[in-house]
Amino acid sequence: MLLIPVLGDQCSHALASLRDVGKDDTVVLMMEVAEETTYVKHHQAKIALILSAMRHFSAELEADGWTVDYVRIDDHGNTGSFTGEVERAIGRHKASRIRIVEAGEWRVQKMIEGWPKAFGIPVDIVEDDRFFCPILDFQTWAQSRRELVMEHFYRDMRRKTGLLMDGSDPAGGVWNLDRDNRAPPQAGITYPHPMRFTPDDTTREVLAMVRHRFADHFGSLDAFHLPVTAGEARRALGHFICTALPDFGRWQDAMVKGERFLFHSWLSPAMNCGLLTAEEVCRAAAEAYAAGDVPLNSAEGFIRQILGWREYMRGVYWLEMPQFGHANALRHDRPLPDFYWTGETDMLCLAQAITSTRDFAYAHHIERLMVLGNFALLAGVAPQAISDWFLVVYADAYEWVELPNVIGMSQFADGGRLGSKPYVSGGAYIDRMSDYCATCRYDVKQKTGEDACPFNALYWDFLARHERTLRGNHRLGPIYRNWERMEETQKRAYRLSAKAFLGTLEPAAKGWAKG
């Protein structure tokens, strides 16, 4: 008997392990295990999404003629771990062989690689071809380059896939239209919303169980309307293409008070648990451009987030693990501030992002990078603490994509291996790209003092603290020259204001992130 374990982020009928095998002598094993819900205390909505998607996918497999052994988290005898449940299933079904798609996370992959010895039967680990770039292909690409530049990788992927290409040239004659995609918010715009799905009986059962079993986990389930099947996810994709993608490019970096989604797709949770493939999402965007329904800057900006950044982050993760998870080039050690869990802060930009995160397990990429990540970096928060937070709170957060984004891109903890400079800014950037500052308790125009936007003093204090390390960065040279030209009294005022503000931060209560 062949046993095919299917993990919670592999809810895809195109899964490689399910191909070219006979259904008559095969059992598909799906496991809800406590260890995976609590190794960090995931957002309640993230747990609900994965378990509901798994239960729906199991039913679809059975309807398609597969024999499915489905273990629920509350089933009697559930060991709480993948290894324990696979061992029990081998005994139940007298399995002589295991076939499984490679895991998305390093921790789980190492567990799987130990199964042949643990169980004494062959384990066939199949490549996860739901991604554009196989792990070995990325490693080959990386080994041939002195620097890992995402833009170079992205262009190679455009050539490989043919997405937005006119022969050997990029559509429109340019590879990257970022210059057209940085508009600040504009008054009078009506923003669409992602398609919302009413929970069915299966999802309602999961929601009730999660509310009871994981009541001490962060987040709310009141606004849970995510797609939990491939059919729903494809409807959500079509809705996004028609209603939001045409304007996505221009305003993808904007932030607006009270608007959670703007023109963003909110498709990443469905993609990352397997309900959508990256290829079908990118092809849909490219076809909309080809049909004249979507401008090039929107199609290119959206596709670059997936074909470029998403694939690149996965490649970097597998290239750099496991040491990448412990990187701390700037030696930051501040505990995570408590307001990351409560949202109780007078900084409106942070309060808005954290409230959205709590209610929807969502904040868009600029809120994550230039508000939540920017503050943590300026304040000197330990990179592993903020990384754990990001892994907990977002429905699309899996370590392969979260860790390199936070450790590398957001926190510069890898010393510049992934990003060419730290992504830091004062309040001026947030003021330019949002409408938050006009009604914030702090004054973004004031540079120092109790009423000044904290980002202003923290920005210069960060640069001063790390001058020895960062001064040689060619992209920071002009900024350090500005620092040099400041009067000593102004420098001192920045440093004192930053110190005073940091002294007001309360550390997060223990136990929020770790299970």
Side-chain angles (χ1 to χ4, degrees):
M1 182 67 70
L2 173 63
L3 185 68
I4 302 181
V6 173
L7 306 182
D9 58 352
Q10 297 176 350
C11 295
S12 171
H13 289 283
L15 198 66
S17 59
L18 299 176
R19 291 186 219 134
D20 304 320
V21 297
K23 295 178 181 177
D24 291 342
D25 59 351
T26 298
V27 173
V28 176
L29 174 66
M30 299 189 69
M31 308 158 279
E32 299 175 2
V33 295
E35 187 173 83
E36 297 305 308
T37 60
T38 58
Y39 71 92
V40 294
K41 297 174 73 170
H42 299 287
H43 194 296
Q44 293 182 41
K46 181 180 180 182
I47 298 173
L49 167 64
I50 295 171
L51 298 188
S52 181
M54 289 175 65
R55 294 184 185 189
H56 283 92
F57 185 60
S58 170
E60 291 173 358
L61 289 176
E62 289 183 330
D64 195 33
W66 292 95
T67 299
V68 181
D69 182 353
Y70 195 96
V71 181
R72 294 195 175 199
I73 197 165
D74 291 326
D75 282 352
H76 177 72
N78 188 331
T79 63
S81 73
F82 286 144
T83 298
E85 288 313 296
V86 170
E87 183 175 28
R88 288 207 308 149
I90 291 170
R92 284 196 298 273
H93 303 290
K94 305 297 187 262
S96 59
R97 184 164 58 98
I98 294 172
R99 178 177 168 89
I100 185 170
V101 167
E102 61 191 358
E105 297 190 354
W106 188 87
R107 168 185 58 86
V108 179
Q109 182 64 16
K110 293 304 166 186
M111 185 189 307
I112 293 170
E113 290 172 0
W115 287 353
K117 182 177 180 180
F119 304 142
I121 61 175
V123 178
D124 180 18
I125 303 175
V126 184
E127 178 186 290
D128 191 347
D129 57 8
R130 296 174 299 165
F131 293 87
F132 288 105
C133 184
I135 293 169
L136 290 178
D137 285 6
F138 186 89
Q139 292 174 347
T140 299
W141 176 86
Q143 289 166 2
S144 66
R145 284 159 175 79
R146 186 172 61 182
E147 294 182 317
L148 302 184
V149 179
M150 193 285 291
E151 183 68 21
H152 298 165
F153 171 77
Y154 169 58
R155 295 182 185 188
D156 286 347
M157 294 303 294
R158 289 270 295 276
R159 296 184 185 100
K160 174 183 176 180
T161 61
L163 285 164
L164 299 182
M165 296 294 293
D166 291 332
S168 60
D169 298 318
V174 291
W175 291 102
N176 185 317
L177 284 94
D178 253 0
R179 67 178 185 274
D180 299 324
N181 291 348
R182 291 173 177 157
Q186 182 176 314
I189 294 178
T190 299
Y191 300 100
H193 294 280
M195 183 174 281
R196 296 161 61 92
F197 297 90
T198 301
D200 63 7
D201 289 344
T202 297
T203 300
R204 286 196 295 271
E205 181 182 14
V206 169
L207 292 174
M209 183 272 291
V210 171
R211 283 191 176 98
H212 174 72
R213 185 181 179 108
F214 302 100
D216 62 337
H217 284 224
F218 177 75
S220 169
L221 291 173
D222 294 344
F224 187 93
H225 294 283
L226 288 167
V228 294
T229 68
E232 289 181 345
R234 291 189 183 107
R235 288 171 57 199
L237 170 61
H239 178 79
F240 165 70
I241 295 292
C242 293
T243 65
L245 183 58
D247 292 305
F248 167 80
R250 184 179 181 187
W251 285 294
Q252 66 175 289
D253 288 2
M255 297 174 283
V256 178
K257 183 179 178 181
E259 291 290 342
R260 304 306 192 189
F261 301 101
L262 289 86
F263 296 102
H264 293 269
S265 73
W266 196 212
L267 294 171
S268 51
M271 290 177 62
N272 289 357
C273 73
L275 302 180
L276 289 172
T277 66
E279 181 165 8
E280 67 183 311
V281 174
C282 289
R283 296 287 176 199
E287 289 167 7
Y289 163 71
D293 297 329
V294 170
L296 180 58
N297 69 302
S298 286
E300 189 279 319
F302 180 69
I303 288 173
R304 179 159 28 93
Q305 295 293 324
I306 301 169
L307 182 64
W309 276 113
R310 185 174 185 264
E311 296 283 327
Y312 177 74
M313 290 296 175
R314 177 176 182 256
V316 169
Y317 173 80
W318 286 104
L319 184 69
E320 301 291 340
M321 284 298 284
Q323 65 275 10
F324 200 64
H326 306 289
N328 192 358
L330 298 179
R331 299 181 180 179
H332 283 173
D333 59 3
R334 181 177 297 278
L336 186 72
D338 193 53
F339 66 70
Y340 272 80
W341 299 112
T342 66
E344 296 174 0
T345 172
D346 289 336
M347 290 175 283
L348 185 58
C349 57
L350 282 157
Q352 286 279 298
I354 294 165
T355 300
S356 177
T357 299
R358 179 196 65 206
D359 293 345
F360 297 94
Y362 171 80
H364 74 65
H365 69 278
I366 292 299
E367 293 173 308
R368 298 191 200 195
L369 178 64
M370 297 308 299
V371 176
L372 297 161
N374 183 20
F375 183 88
L377 180 55
L378 294 178
V381 172
Q384 285 68 40
I386 187 65
S387 179
D388 280 348
W389 183 83
F390 271 94
L391 184 59
V392 165
V393 302
Y394 292 115
D396 58 359
Y398 296 79
E399 191 181 71
W400 63 265
V401 67
E402 172 274 325
L403 190 67
N405 263 300
V406 177
I407 294 293
M409 187 178 183
S410 172
Q411 298 303 296
F412 204 70
D414 63 347
R417 172 74 166 155
L418 192 152
S420 59
K421 73 173 184 66
Y423 278 88
V424 290
S425 78
Y429 174 85
I430 298 170
D431 188 29
R432 182 169 68 254
M433 297 308 300
S434 78
D435 63 357
Y436 296 152
C437 300
T439 54
C440 183
R441 167 260 189 271
Y442 293 104
D443 185 351
V444 71
K445 304 300 182 185
Q446 286 194 37
K447 305 302 182 184
T448 59
E450 291 184 359
D451 295 326
C453 172
F455 278 92
N456 292 333
L458 290 175
Y459 174 75
W460 289 110
D461 182 64
F462 168 83
L463 292 170
R465 292 199 319 270
H466 297 296
E467 184 170 6
R468 181 177 298 179
T469 301
L470 298 178
R471 189 177 182 83
N473 186 298
H474 69 281
R475 297 185 66 184
L476 296 179
I479 297 171
Y480 275 110
R481 286 193 288 274
N482 288 340
W483 176 250
E484 282 181 351
R485 287 193 289 268
M486 283 185 196
E487 298 288 340
E488 289 301 319
T489 53
Q490 183 64 56
K491 292 181 181 180
R492 179 173 172 78
Y494 276 127
R495 302 298 305 275
L496 289 175
S497 285
K499 182 178 180 180
F501 176 79
L502 291 173
T504 68
L505 298 180
E506 294 290 335
K510 292 182 179 179
W512 269 108
K514 293 297 187 182

